[in-house]
């Protein structure tokens, strides 16, 4: 499926000479450096700004004083259905519109999530999304549904749900042509554990979610190879003192990364604190689970075949009222985590960048501000509002230092 030339990304090119950003609070893997400096050459972060350059060479170096700001790695979103009025279930133009919306909010690496649909539709969409992944616009594909529980379907069409037959799971993985990154499964359903094993064998993340599993069944899924909790707490049985369910199993196992939607709607602050305290900052990944309305506003939208009403920033199904994804962008998740939840900035950066990058197998390229990695970074003011976004050395959002 060829992508029309007009649908390709339009980000500006990286400059050919070094850019030196100075004076910011720079969040590194080792901690925050006050009055720090980041040097970008081409598309990469380089070790040091040039010293002892010959006379006249200063004209070949862009020095940008970003004093009073924060520099953090570009955000990595594992779970995102769209934004800017467009969906990852739509055309190539729609997909790129959603990508650009989230890039403007600091998400420089993004996995496109599908929603439950007919298998033939999902196979065709996987082909389109895989071409955009090959172009570098996406970091891969996440299939959320149709292999989920009708008891915990959330904003998925029950009529289109099915058990996780390994042959059908393999069909989606093959359709993604090496770009399938994650599949969300209700692993307690027939074929669930065999599908987890198949995904693990093919290097695809098996995520437990939209599940009605017991504690014991979830432990079995983790032993079979599941390594992610899809939006922990949401679309699964609550934590009970006699029936702890999947939440306890997913939180307690060091092999599992837990997704959290930190928009103030999906989670009570105490639930967020419980997850951070129990899993630790190295096992949390903030996600958006965003739908079309992210970056746009209230109104009526479609999520797959289902109609959604967004009111005061909260998306709910018109029929039944279930929460239908979010309107979140990761900069808002960052801001809330620091200013409302009072989490350390370094822990929030890990949850937004380093942890999801490592989970995706991209930790050698993105997720932290280190020499040799892609020059993906976000400039934030002291209120943690975005003031600039760079992706691969090019400014997606030019620095606003006013």
């Amino acid at each position: 499926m060829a992508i029309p030339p007009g649908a390709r990304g339009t980000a500006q090119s990286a400059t050919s000479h070094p850019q030196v950003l100075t004076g910011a609070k720079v969040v590194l893997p080792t901690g925050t450096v006050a009055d720090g400096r980041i040097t970008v050459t081409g598309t990469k972060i380089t070790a040091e700004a040039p010293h002892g350059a010959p006379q006249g060479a200063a004209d070949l170096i862009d020095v940008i004083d970003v004093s009073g700001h924060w520099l953090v790695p570009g955000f990595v979103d594992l779970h995102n259905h769209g934004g800017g009025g467009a969906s990852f279930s739509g055309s190539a133009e729609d997909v790129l519109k959603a990508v650009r919306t989230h890039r403007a909010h600091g998400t420089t690496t993004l996995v496109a999530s599908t929603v439950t649909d007919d298998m033939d539709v999902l196979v065709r969409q996987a082909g389109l999304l895989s071409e955009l992944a090959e172009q570098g616009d996406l970091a891969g594909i996440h299939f959320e549904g149709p292999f989920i529980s009708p008891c915990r379907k959330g904003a998925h069409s029950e009529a289109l749900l099915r058990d996780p037959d390994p042959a059908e799971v393999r069909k989606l993985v093959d359709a993604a042509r090496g770009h399938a990154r994650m599949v969300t499964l209700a692993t307690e359903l027939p074929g669930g554990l065999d599908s987890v094993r198949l995904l693990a064998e093919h290097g695809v993340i098996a995520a437990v979610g939209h599940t009605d599993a017991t504690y014991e069944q979830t432990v079995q899924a983790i032993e079979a190879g599941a390594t992610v909790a899809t939006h922990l707490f949401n679309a699964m049985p609550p934590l009970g003192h006699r029936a702890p369910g999947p939440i306890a199993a997913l939180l307690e196992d060091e092999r599992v990364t837990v997704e959290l939607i930190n928009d103030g709607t999906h989670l009570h602050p105490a639930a967020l604190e419980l997850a951070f305290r129990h899993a630790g900052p190295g096992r949390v990944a903030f996600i958006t689970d965003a739908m079309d309305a992210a970056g746009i506003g209230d109104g009526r939208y479609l999520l797959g075949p289902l109609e959604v009403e967004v009111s005061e920033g909260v998306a709910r199904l018109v029929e039944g009222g279930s929460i239908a994804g979010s309107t979140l962008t990761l900069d808002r998740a960052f801001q809330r985590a620091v200013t409302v939840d009072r989490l350390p900035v370094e822990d929030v950066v890990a949850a937004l960048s380093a942890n999801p990058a490592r989970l995706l197998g991209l930790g050698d390229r993105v997720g932290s501000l280190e020499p040799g990695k892609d020059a993906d970074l976000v400039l934030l003011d002291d209120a943690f509002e975005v003031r600039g976004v760079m992706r691969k050395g090019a400014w997606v959002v030019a620095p606003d230092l006013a």
Side-chain angles (χ1 to χ4, degrees):
M1 183 182 299
I3 304 301
R8 296 181 186 274
T10 57
Q12 70 180 76
S13 299
T15 61
S16 58
H17 49 279
Q19 302 177 75
V20 183
L21 285 71
T22 64
K25 289 166 278 191
V26 181
V27 181
L28 302 174
T30 52
T32 299
V33 177
D35 193 20
R37 177 179 66 177
I38 291 289
T39 303
V40 174
T41 304
T43 64
K44 301 291 184 181
I45 297 170
T46 48
E48 295 182 10
H51 291 290
Q55 188 173 4
D59 293 338
L60 303 178
I61 302 171
D62 289 337
V63 178
I64 305 172
D65 186 351
V66 291
S67 298
H69 293 73
W70 293 83
L71 276 175
V72 301
F75 309 142
V76 180
D77 198 351
L78 293 170
H79 186 155
N80 186 318
H81 297 280
S87 166
F88 292 130
S89 297
S91 66
E93 290 86 353
D94 290 335
V95 172
L96 290 170
K97 183 178 182 181
V99 167
R100 288 191 292 267
T101 296
H102 286 282
R103 280 186 190 166
H105 291 273
T107 298
T108 51
T109 301
L110 188 149
V111 173
S113 301
T114 63
V115 294
T116 295
D117 213 321
D118 288 320
M119 284 295 292
D120 288 346
V121 172
L122 291 173
V123 166
R124 287 197 301 272
Q125 194 63 18
L128 183 148
L129 294 173
S130 67
E131 289 204 21
L132 292 169
E134 287 160 10
Q135 291 177 187
D137 295 298
L138 297 171
I141 306 166
H142 163 219
F143 297 101
E144 187 181 26
F147 311 115
I148 59 176
S149 171
C151 302
R152 304 286 174 178
K153 64 183 183 297
H156 292 254
S157 173
E158 185 169 352
L160 297 171
L161 301 182
R162 58 184 66 211
D163 290 339
D165 178 347
E168 293 200 315
V169 173
R170 175 68 185 270
K171 185 177 181 180
L172 288 185
V173 171
D174 288 347
R177 303 202 304 264
H179 296 287
R181 293 288 174 261
M182 183 161 66
V183 179
T184 293
L185 306 162
T187 54
E188 75 278 9
L189 295 177
L193 293 181
D194 285 340
S195 292
V196 169
R197 295 185 186 101
L198 179 142
L199 291 168
E201 288 169 3
H202 286 80
V204 179
I205 297 164
V208 178
H210 288 277
T211 176
D212 204 41
T214 64
Y215 172 88
E216 290 77 14
Q217 288 171 324
T218 307
V219 168
Q220 287 182 314
I222 297 168
E223 289 300 327
T227 57
V228 166
T230 292
H231 43 54
L232 186 74
F233 299 108
N234 298 114
M236 60 182 63
L239 185 66
H241 64 292
R242 292 194 182 93
I247 294 171
L250 294 163
L251 278 177
E252 72 184 8
D253 198 297
E254 294 294 325
R255 294 169 289 186
V256 176
T257 298
V258 298
E259 295 182 348
L260 298 176
I261 308 172
N262 192 27
D263 61 353
T265 298
H266 281 79
L267 296 176
H268 190 282
L272 182 94
E273 182 181 5
L274 173 67
F276 257 93
R277 187 182 299 271
H278 201 79
R283 290 177 47 218
V284 172
F286 281 141
I287 61 164
T288 60
D289 195 17
M291 45 80 72
D292 301 28
I296 294 291
D298 292 354
R300 288 260 177 136
Y301 299 86
L302 287 176
L303 183 61
L306 304 178
E307 193 171 12
V308 175
E309 177 79 31
V310 178
S311 177
E312 296 182 354
V314 179
R316 293 185 180 276
L317 290 182
V318 171
E319 185 176 341
S322 293
I323 293 177
S326 85
T327 61
L328 187 64
T329 51
L330 283 182
D331 58 332
R332 295 305 178 201
F334 192 121
Q335 186 180 53
R336 179 178 176 85
V338 176
T339 63
V340 176
D341 303 308
R342 302 295 179 183
L343 294 171
V345 170
E346 294 81 4
D347 290 353
V348 177
V349 167
L352 283 165
S353 302
N355 297 345
R358 182 174 60 249
L359 188 68
L360 292 171
L362 300 176
D364 60 333
R365 289 172 36 204
V366 299
S368 60
L369 301 178
E370 296 180 272
K373 293 193 177 183
D374 289 351
D376 293 357
L377 56 86
V378 182
L379 182 68
L380 303 165
D381 62 20
D382 271 342
F384 298 98
E385 296 278 355
V386 170
R387 295 299 179 188
V389 179
M390 177 183 283
R391 183 175 185 269
K392 294 188 177 180
W395 288 105
V396 176
V397 176
D400 176 7
L401 306 176

